[in-house]
Amino acid sequence: MITSAGVNTTPKVSNVGLSNAHYTGCLRPSPDCSKLALAFGNANNFEVVDFDNSTGVISNPITSPANYPYTYGINFSPDGKLLYVGTNKVGKIYQFNLEAGSATDIINSEKVIGTASIGFGLGLGTFQLGPDGKMYIAKSGMKSLGVIKNPNVLGNGCSYIDNGFTLGGGA
């Protein structure tokens, strides 16, 4: 932690949620840095935790069941109210409403908003928010990015376009 007194090199350890032994996906902070989302590809699930930006303490894990094969890409909507999760090798893109209520309600708010075209045996990569407010999704082996045009909109109104941005030189 960095304070006006200098740098404290003692790490802050929070023993909550899943072990990082199965971590093969992305880690993303929410736009206001109050939450972290982690994709655990080898465990086929993901987790959202509260994060205290001033102390580094992690708490209140919400862990999905292992129903999401090869999770990798993950990101929050720009307003932080929705979570997007992608399954590698399968290509499904899920949306979760983080304001649905309890942890169970959040997991049960699952909505498949699209299935990406991906190269054989490959899958979805990183989910990245652009300066234009859209979310861009890398697709291995493809010459385009998937685009979520309205990532703050709940359900299909978020408007996933599979070949939403063509890459000039390929993937």
Side-chain angles (χ1 to χ4, degrees), residues 29-121:
S30 62
D32 66 0
C33 295
S34 68
K35 294 188 179 302
L36 297 173
L38 304 90
F40 296 96
N42 292 344
N44 298 322
N45 63 355
F46 63 91
E47 192 165 70
V48 179
V49 296
D50 289 340
F51 177 67
D52 186 320
N53 196 22
S54 62
T55 66
V57 171
I58 295 172
S59 60
N60 303 319
I62 298 172
T63 305
S64 77
N67 296 341
Y68 305 94
Y70 309 104
T71 54
Y72 186 84
I74 196 164
N75 211 341
F76 294 90
S77 59
D79 64 10
K81 295 177 182 179
L82 302 172
L83 181 71
Y84 291 91
V85 178
T87 54
N88 204 358
K89 297 185 183 179
V90 179
K92 286 190 179 179
I93 302 166
Y94 297 89
Q95 181 193 72
F96 296 87
N97 181 356
L98 297 174
E99 295 189 323
S102 70
T104 300
D105 293 336
I106 290 169
I107 296 301
N108 289 338
S109 74
E110 167 197 302
K111 172 94 174 139
V112 176
I113 57 115
T115 301
S117 57
I118 52 177
F120 178 75

